[in-house]
Amino acid sequence: VTGVQTCALPIYDWIADHLPILRTFALDVEHAGYATVVVMGMGGSSAAARVFARLGAETPRGLRVLVLDSTVPAAVLAVDREIDPGRTLFVAVSKSGETIETRAFLDTFWARHPRGEDFVAITDPGTALHTLATERGFREVFLNPPDVGGRFSALTYPGLLPAALAGLDLDLLAGHARDRKSTRLNSSH
């Protein structure tokens, strides 16, 4: 609960500041010819992405977003069979930058398709994943606010980037967040 309390109010400002970045990136990716996004993460780093992927499947715009958060070999193979690697953007998500499952997913798809421009990382500043993504020339490295824990990251890059790529209305999501902020502030008086 402390993580929510310490970051709850500043996160709304963070969202407003980063929506243009997310929109621009999503448009650039779509214009580059990508059709599918594979979000690779575990636990809180993939929970919001899974919800937004389902919602995105119901919208006519955006890319198809798949979430890989299972190390069961059949799950990894199922994702591998569903994608065209040349038209897929791989997004590795790990707050610590050292989540072994995320790294295993990343290594698996990198071995099959080692093109940095087809990979994105979402992590905290200075992590091993940040370093690896920079070394490999990933298309983008999104540095998440370090004071937001994985399970509370739905309204930061781990949630909002997949939402943007899926074609969801980020203004609507941000509006809901602002409404929650107003409700919380008014109920505390």
Side-chain angles (χ1 to χ4, degrees):
V1 176
T2 303
V4 174
Q5 291 171 341
T6 60
C7 73
L9 296 179
I11 201 65
Y12 301 104
D13 295 331
W14 186 95
I15 294 167
D17 291 344
H18 290 80
L19 287 184
I21 296 165
L22 292 161
R23 278 191 207 95
T24 299
F25 184 79
L27 284 172
D28 289 348
V29 165
E30 196 167 347
H31 290 138
Y34 291 97
T36 304
V37 176
V38 176
V39 177
M40 306 172 290
M42 298 299 290
S45 292
S46 63
R50 182 168 293 288
V51 171
F52 293 143
R54 286 185 185 151
L55 291 172
E58 299 174 9
T59 65
R61 60 182 192 268
L63 306 176
R64 182 173 72 142
V65 176
L66 305 174
V67 178
L68 181 57
D69 60 357
S70 172
T71 57
V72 174
V76 178
L77 288 172
V79 168
D80 191 39
R81 286 187 194 116
E82 281 191 52
I83 62 170
D84 171 357
R87 298 192 62 215
T88 300
L89 184 71
F90 300 93
V91 180
V93 186
S94 171
K95 178 174 176 49
S96 69
E98 297 181 6
T99 308
I100 193 71
E101 297 90 347
T102 301
R103 182 58 192 262
F105 300 147
L106 176 58
D107 289 347
T108 297
F109 289 103
W110 182 265
R112 290 180 171 92
H113 191 70
R115 291 177 11 129
E117 63 266 22
D118 295 336
F119 287 81
V120 170
I122 301 173
T123 190
D124 280 3
T127 66
L129 179 56
H130 181 188
T131 301
L132 179 72
T134 301
E135 289 171 355
R136 289 187 177 175
F138 281 19
R139 175 176 287 273
E140 189 67 60
V141 180
F142 290 98
L143 299 176
N144 215 44
D147 60 337
V148 179
R151 70 179 61 103
F152 302 111
S153 63
L155 294 176
T156 59
Y157 287 129
L160 292 178
L161 181 63
L165 293 168
L168 297 180
D169 185 339
L170 296 181
D171 290 318
L172 182 64
L173 290 172
H176 286 305
R178 279 190 302 275
D179 291 347
R180 292 285 299 153
K181 175 184 175 184
S182 296
T183 302
R184 287 182 65 155
L185 289 176
N186 290 334
S187 66
S188 66
H189 295 300

